[in-house]
Each structure stands twice: as C-alpha cells, then as structure tokens.
Amino acid sequence: MSEPHATIRPQPGILSIALYQGGESRLDGHARVLKLSSNENPDGPPPRAIEAFRDAAASLHLYPSSDHASLRAAIADVHGLDPARIVCGAGSDEIIAFLTQAYAGPGSEVIHTEHGFGMYRISALAAGATPVEVKERDRHTDVDAILAAANERTALVFIANPNNPTGTMIPASGIERLAASLPRQALLVLDGAYAEFVDGFDGHAGLVEARDNVVMTRTFSKIHGLGGLRVGWGYGPAHVIDVLNRVRGPFNLSTAALAAAEAAIRDTAWTERCRAANAANRAVLTAALRGHGIACDTSAANFVLARFRDQAEAEAADRALRDQGIIVRRVAGYRLPQALRITVGDAEACARVAGTLGAFMKVRA
C-alpha cells in the first residue's frame, strides 16, 4: 500500500477501506484446481444465455440500452414484480454502492452484522458514513441487536438472508419486525444474493411491496452462473428506485451482459435444476463433514461453513485441501478464523472435499 499524499487527499473514510479479497483461483504446483472459494455455479449459465452472449457480438459497436427495459421486464415476468420498481447494476455490489452513495454520508451510520458481506462496510466508508457492526447470535442475524444499535443517525441497515459466509437464515417474522421497528429515516436493505437456493422463497419481495422502507438486492452471479458478466438488480419503493436511477450511469451494463442475463432468468427450468442439484449435494457434503466431526450450521445457500476447533486447525485443513488442488475460502476476515467456507460443487467435487477432510480429521484424532 502506498503512502498517502501530503496534500491531495481522498474523501474521509476511503483510506480506512481494506481492499476486498476475492476467492483464489490458482495454486502453485497444480495445473488444474478445484475452485470452491467464490460460490460459483458448478453447472455455469444455461446454454441459452451463452448463445445470447455470442449473438450480442454482432452489435458490440452500438451502445447498450440505458433503461434496461427488456431485462427488467424479464425479471418482473419471472418473479411477478413491477418492472418500474427494478433497477439494474453491475452486480448487486453496484446496487449496494448506489444505496450508500444516495442515502449515507458523513454523520450517518450504516449497520451490518459481524459476519456480514464485506461490501457493506466498504461501501459505507466510501460514502463517508460510519459503519456500525452488530453481534450475531450463533452466526444468525440478531434482530434485537440491530434495533439496539439503530438511532437517529442510522441511514441504512444491511442484512443478507441467507447470510454470507454463514449460510444461515432468519424467519420472515424477524425481518418484518425489524422493518416495522427501525427509525423512520432508515432503509432496510435485504441482500438476496442466495435467495434462489431456497425453494419457494421470494427474497422478501412481498415485504418490499408492503412497505416504503425496504429494498431487496439480487444477483445473476450465483444460481444463474453469470459471475463473469457482473449483473445484479434491486427492487424497492418507487421513491428509492427513482433516486438510484439518478446516480446510476446510463450505460452501466453491456449489451452482452443484458442479453445473457435476460436469457438466463427466463430459463426457469435451468434455475430449478441447479437449485435441486445444489440442495442434494449440499445435504451430502454437510452430512459427510458432520460425520467427520466438523461442525456445520444448516446452510440455505450454495456453500457450507465448516467450523473447526480453532484457527490453527482450520488453517491446517485448508493446507490439506490445497495439497489436493482444492481451493476453499478462509473467512478470518469475517471474524470466523476457525472456519472455512466451502462452495457446494457437483457430486464429484463434494466427494473430493469430504474425502480429503475425512483423512485430515482422522490423522488429527
């Protein structure tokens, strides 16, 4: 990291940002690796999305749609939403950034949970706001702790449900109580990056429609398999979506990304197939890890948080996996030094992880 310039200074908060660390994808000494560090869909995007991406190559000289009308219509059709209340961005990260840019700033506070997604804190600091971290209860969002931290300075409250990196969920009743009890000036942002992995779950879209202080964010990077294109969306009250569109760049999504995302979300059969495969493989992996004496909360997402006895054991387990060409995610930066977050891959990938960690735990016994 370079030293700050003597006279040219960024806005307050920026230099307090620790650079976000994404999942690794390479290992020295391994030509081929099994990457289970970024919660990617092992089946990738549907063939229709790949075809749409290729077809878009013929129009790369033209600017993309600035209103994303076709993609918003597709999202609305599939999820039964109002397209006028949808905003699209370069991943849900950009929607999060829009929200902090528009609603937070110096003197305001942004609440997130202790094991919450790192971009909440980063986006708050980038906007000059003060991030406020609240404790979770056994790796579950604690509504009472959030309400105790909320005050007249609270601008935004970020919750992922299911949460990342824990994979845990809290019931809709808790989310509804939180939305009803926050200070009047605060927005509740419900991050639904992993919502599609929960059968029959709308990501709290119904609550968004019922209230004027709730926003939902979603992504195409997980179940839709488009992490390399960076497409996300938000759904919220009309007054919020109007504001976000005022700070959104007019051409923030490429033609190819828009086309692939529309094809992906309309292929509901592919989404359902991926959801079912993830649920089956997640259950097998969780049972295997528990059988080897590794603690795991019940996950509602496409990953499992494996908890070891201490940080030293977690790091040793990570080294054992890496020796076999398997990359998972250390999560000490999320205040979980004794844990590893393991993406649910296909059946073969889950068997490799379970076998490697089973052998590791047998030696440690």
Side-chain angles (χ1 to χ4, degrees):
M1 184 179 296
S2 63
E3 290 296 318
H5 192 277
T7 57
I8 302 173
R9 304 286 290 174
Q11 294 287 352
I14 302 252
L15 293 180
S16 298
I17 295 173
L19 295 180
Y20 181 82
Q21 300 294 321
E24 292 181 81
S25 58
R26 295 180 179 84
L27 277 177
D28 291 340
H30 294 273
R32 296 183 62 187
V33 300
L34 175 57
K35 184 189 177 191
L36 301 174
S37 57
S38 296
N39 301 338
E40 295 152 330
N41 185 340
D43 293 319
R48 294 177 188 175
I50 296 172
E51 182 180 0
F53 181 84
R54 288 174 176 153
D55 290 345
S59 59
L60 294 184
H61 59 299
L62 302 175
Y63 277 93
S65 161
S66 62
D67 63 6
H68 311 146
S70 187
L71 177 56
R72 290 189 293 107
I75 294 168
D77 288 347
V78 170
H79 291 290
L81 305 176
D82 178 359
R85 294 173 60 179
I86 295 171
V87 61
C88 299
S92 55
D93 294 2
E94 189 174 40
I95 307 300
I96 292 168
F98 290 159
L99 285 160
T100 54
Q101 178 185 356
Y103 290 100
S108 68
E109 296 179 350
V110 175
I111 293 176
H112 62 90
T113 64
E114 64 178 318
H115 306 311
F117 182 39
M119 289 307 299
Y120 308 149
R121 173 181 169 82
I122 288 173
S123 296
L125 288 169
T130 301
V132 175
E133 179 181 294
V134 301
K135 290 287 186 181
E136 296 182 12
R137 182 178 298 174
D138 296 325
R139 297 163 304 283
H140 288 70
T141 296
D142 187 335
V143 170
D144 291 321
I146 292 172
L147 290 175
N151 56 45
E152 69 279 1
R153 296 180 298 278
T154 303
L156 295 161
V157 176
F158 284 103
I159 292 177
N161 204 37
N163 197 14
N164 172 32
T166 63
T168 57
M169 281 190 78
I170 62 171
S173 58
I175 299 291
E176 291 164 4
R177 181 165 69 88
L178 178 59
S181 304
L182 284 174
R184 291 179 58 84
Q185 82 284 350
L187 273 177
L188 174 60
V189 183
L190 301 172
D191 183 343
Y194 298 93
E196 286 88 353
F197 294 103
V198 182
D199 192 26
F201 179 46
D202 70 353
H204 303 293
L207 184 62
V208 174
E209 295 186 331
R211 301 194 58 87
D212 64 0
N213 67 334
V214 181
V215 178
M216 173 183 70
T217 65
R218 303 285 277 271
T219 184
F220 282 84
S221 298
K222 304 305 177 186
I223 206 166
H224 297 299
L226 295 177
L229 288 184
R230 313 305 304 128
V231 185
W233 56 281
Y235 189 59
H239 68 92
V240 173
I241 300 305
D242 174 69
V243 168
L244 301 190
N245 275 317
R246 292 172 188 270
V247 299
R248 176 181 65 82
F251 305 113
N252 59 325
L253 290 176
S254 71
T255 299
L258 289 166
E262 181 178 349
I265 200 164
R266 288 196 182 279
D267 196 338
T268 55
W270 183 269
T271 302
E272 182 53 41
R273 171 191 160 188
C274 293
R275 177 168 39 244
N278 176 77
N281 291 327
R282 182 181 63 206
V284 170
L285 178 60
T286 300
L289 294 177
R290 289 173 174 167
H292 295 315
I294 302 170
C296 302
D297 293 316
T298 298
S299 173
N302 68 333
F303 58 85
V304 174
L305 186 72
R307 304 195 320 277
F308 297 86
R309 282 171 283 204
D310 52 32
Q311 182 172 358
E313 185 173 78
E315 292 176 353
D318 185 45
R319 289 193 294 271
L321 290 165
R322 292 166 76 91
D323 286 345
Q324 297 301 312
I326 303 170
I327 305 176
V328 299
R329 184 73 176 269
R330 291 189 185 185
V331 285
Y334 285 90
R335 306 195 187 284
L336 292 163
Q338 79 286 13
L340 298 174
R341 192 192 69 186
I342 306 171
T343 300
V344 175
D346 58 20
E348 180 182 357
C350 290
R352 282 184 62 187
V353 170
T356 300
L357 289 178
F360 167 80
M361 295 299 289
K362 186 175 182 179
V363 171
R364 304 281 291 191

